[in-house]
Amino acid sequence: MSFDTNFERYAELAVKIGVNVQPMQTLVITAPISTAPFVRKVAKKAYEAGAKHVIMEWSDDELTRLKFDLAPDEAFTEYPLWKAKGLEEMAENGAAFLYVTASNPDLLKGVKLDRISASNKAAGQALHAFRNYTMSDKVSWCVLAVPSPQWAAMVFPNLPAEEQEAALWEAIFRATRADMNDPVQAWHDHHAALNSNVDWLNSKQYRYLHYTAPGTELTIELPPKHIWIGGGGHNEKGVFFMANMPTEEVFTAPLKTGVNGKVSSTKPLSYHGNLIENFTLTFKDGRIVEATAEKGEASLKQLIETDEGSHYLGEVALVPHLSPISQSNIIFYNTLFDENASNHLAIGNAYSVNIENGAKMTKEELEQYGINTSMTHVDFMIGSAEMDIDGETADGNREPIFRKGNWA
């Protein structure tokens, strides 16, 4: 199939499966200016689907780097409140939100970490109310990716420079099913397959998950009435949407204080323009008590110190080693893709929809049920072909969930 055909289908997937634009709905797109050709195609598809407005929020890597290099320290303690309030207002009025990433994993390499930390905290505080709309699935939202030259060069360093972006486009089309004859139907079929595992796990209501792999001996307690989710979800108006493209995971929330043991990463983590590699976290009663990394240890510790909630986990996700992205043997250096090749966990905020009636709970009520809250939510990959996972029932029986990286 031609590039133009796949490109068109990818844009259609963003609109029809990702955010599932409804007639007279506003679509808000956040994207780097380098992705303008793709965004224009998405906007066309959105208007054809009946969108009332397509509102753009552009970014630019070069301007971002200039600010981190040259702006005064005070600039990183502020976030435009008009922007945060505008997002809240659009969410309140039922807008859908599409995030197009075109990451340069090394964008902020060499920047003072205290500047990055201050910027993240300022944004996290200002956007807290808006993020409640997405983290509780009150609105439709979706994250997908488009190649950048820097990202493509990192993923395919052995290809000639003029072939790298094309190779990454091909990998993205394949991972998102855009290269199939009927991508929209393929996604509906995929959603149904993921939900067969969701239904099984929800029927089990395991109390503990026990992880065993090289460098990993970890026990995670799950809260009562936890809910596993996979594939797409529904916003508060009942409209189906797919938050991540690609997605191969089923996930739930851990009990905040119920994580004990040690876990080792199996893929690099790109965190705000810095790579963190080969790291290990040690937990006691849910809290991270030790963190080491072969590369990027300072960035890892900065992430953990974002706020009190970032010392705990907010997500546990299961992904078979035989997932299509894993079998591609490509390290994407991008969490959106790499998390769908590997079992993973997330530092920070939990999704309120992962506990019964959680979407209607306040922050304080969620904490009472053992659901972590934080300004941040960062996934990191821990799965491999050597990982076993057991589920322990409320009466103490242990049953295999994963063996050698795949569903048992």
Side-chain angles (χ1 to χ4, degrees):
M1 224 165 291
S2 72
F3 171 84
D4 289 343
T5 298
N6 288 338
F7 188 80
E8 181 104 8
R9 289 178 174 178
Y10 191 37
E12 184 176 43
L13 281 175
V15 170
K16 291 187 176 180
I17 294 293
V19 287
N20 193 5
V21 170
Q22 300 295 295
M24 299 301 290
Q25 187 177 31
T26 292
L27 173 62
V28 182
I29 304 177
T30 301
I33 57 174
S34 61
T35 67
F38 177 72
V39 169
R40 293 185 192 112
K41 183 71 71 174
V42 170
K44 181 174 183 289
K45 296 288 185 183
Y47 283 125
E48 289 173 350
K52 184 179 182 181
H53 301 292
V54 176
I55 296 175
M56 282 309 310
E57 177 66 30
W58 294 108
S59 63
D60 177 67
D61 278 358
E62 290 189 34
L63 288 175
T64 298
R65 181 67 198 226
L66 279 173
K67 179 175 181 178
F68 275 99
D69 285 342
L70 302 176
D73 289 341
E74 292 78 6
F76 302 99
T77 63
E78 301 172 351
Y79 187 90
L81 292 181
W82 60 266
K83 184 182 290 187
K85 292 298 182 184
L87 290 169
E88 289 174 39
E89 182 179 322
M90 288 186 287
E92 181 65 29
N93 291 327
F97 297 85
L98 179 67
Y99 300 90
V100 181
T101 70
S103 63
N104 173 1
D106 278 332
L107 176 64
L108 300 184
K109 186 177 182 179
V111 170
K112 292 180 180 178
L113 292 180
D114 57 350
R115 289 188 157 216
I116 299 174
S117 178
S119 177
N120 293 340
K121 286 183 179 180
Q125 291 167 350
L127 294 172
H128 176 72
F130 167 68
R131 285 178 176 164
N132 281 340
Y133 284 93
T134 55
M135 295 294 284
S136 60
D137 285 355
K138 291 180 180 178
V139 297
S140 300
W141 59 283
C142 178
V143 184
L144 49 74
V146 167
S148 69
Q150 299 88 347
W151 180 25
M154 182 169 283
V155 178
F156 296 106
N158 297 324
L159 289 180
E162 64 273 14
E163 297 177 15
Q164 289 168 342
E165 278 193 76
L168 185 51
W169 268 118
E170 184 179 337
I172 289 173
F173 290 149
R174 189 165 53 247
T176 58
R177 298 171 170 78
D179 62 348
M180 293 188 173
N181 289 328
D182 188 345
V184 171
Q185 185 58 49
W187 270 94
H188 286 302
D189 295 343
H190 179 51
H191 171 74
L194 285 173
N195 272 268
S196 66
N197 290 323
V198 165
D199 292 343
W200 177 73
L201 286 166
N202 282 330
S203 71
K204 287 291 185 179
Q205 281 292 298
Y206 288 117
R207 184 175 178 187
Y208 296 98
L209 301 179
H210 300 278
Y211 290 72
T212 304
T216 293
E217 284 291 339
L218 188 72
T219 297
I220 297 177
E221 186 174 358
L222 302 178
K225 298 183 178 180
H226 63 271
I227 297 173
W228 289 89
I229 294 173
H234 293 83
N235 67 22
E236 64 179 357
K237 294 182 179 178
V239 176
F240 178 85
F241 70 96
M242 192 73 62
N244 287 349
M245 299 183 77
T247 184
E248 304 289 338
E249 66 177 326
V250 298
F251 65 95
T252 193
L255 185 70
K256 178 178 180 177
T257 57
V259 184
N260 287 280
K262 182 175 73 172
V263 66
S264 297
S265 69
T266 52
K267 290 181 182 291
L269 169 62
S270 177
Y271 175 65
H272 290 293
N274 288 281
L275 281 176
I276 306 170
E277 298 185 55
N278 298 324
F279 58 94
T280 299
L281 302 177
T282 303
F283 295 84
K284 181 173 175 54
D285 297 330
R287 189 177 180 87
I288 300 171
V289 294
E290 185 179 359
T292 62
E294 289 185 11
K295 178 181 178 181
E297 185 172 301
S299 293
L300 176 63
K301 291 182 175 179
Q302 175 206 68
L303 161 61
I304 296 166
E305 292 297 329
T306 300
D307 60 12
E308 177 60 19
S310 56
H311 291 78
Y312 297 84
L313 295 180
E315 180 185 327
V316 47
L318 303 179
V319 181
H321 186 66
L322 288 174
S323 77
I325 298 173
S326 177
Q327 294 305 293
S328 73
N329 292 318
I330 297 172
I331 296 178
F332 282 89
Y333 300 97
N334 180 299
T335 301
L336 178 63
F337 290 84
D338 289 334
E339 72 171 7
N340 287 298
S342 169
N343 288 318
H344 57 274
L345 305 171
I347 289 171
N349 202 54
Y351 290 98
S352 60
V353 291
N354 282 132
I355 189 168
E356 190 174 305
N357 297 318
K360 299 177 182 178
M361 293 182 187
T362 64
K363 175 183 175 181
E364 291 72 24
E365 289 171 331
L366 289 168
E367 289 277 0
Q368 288 176 6
Y369 279 87
I371 303 301
N372 191 35
T373 59
S374 172
M375 290 188 296
T376 193
H377 177 99
V378 178
D379 298 280
F380 63 97
M381 286 57 75
I382 64 168
S384 71
E386 300 171 279
M387 175 164 278
D388 292 342
I389 305 174
D390 285 348
E392 183 179 331
T393 60
D395 57 9
N397 288 329
R398 285 179 63 153
E399 302 171 348
I401 299 177
F402 267 55
R403 286 294 180 268
K404 297 191 180 301
N406 292 296
W407 292 101

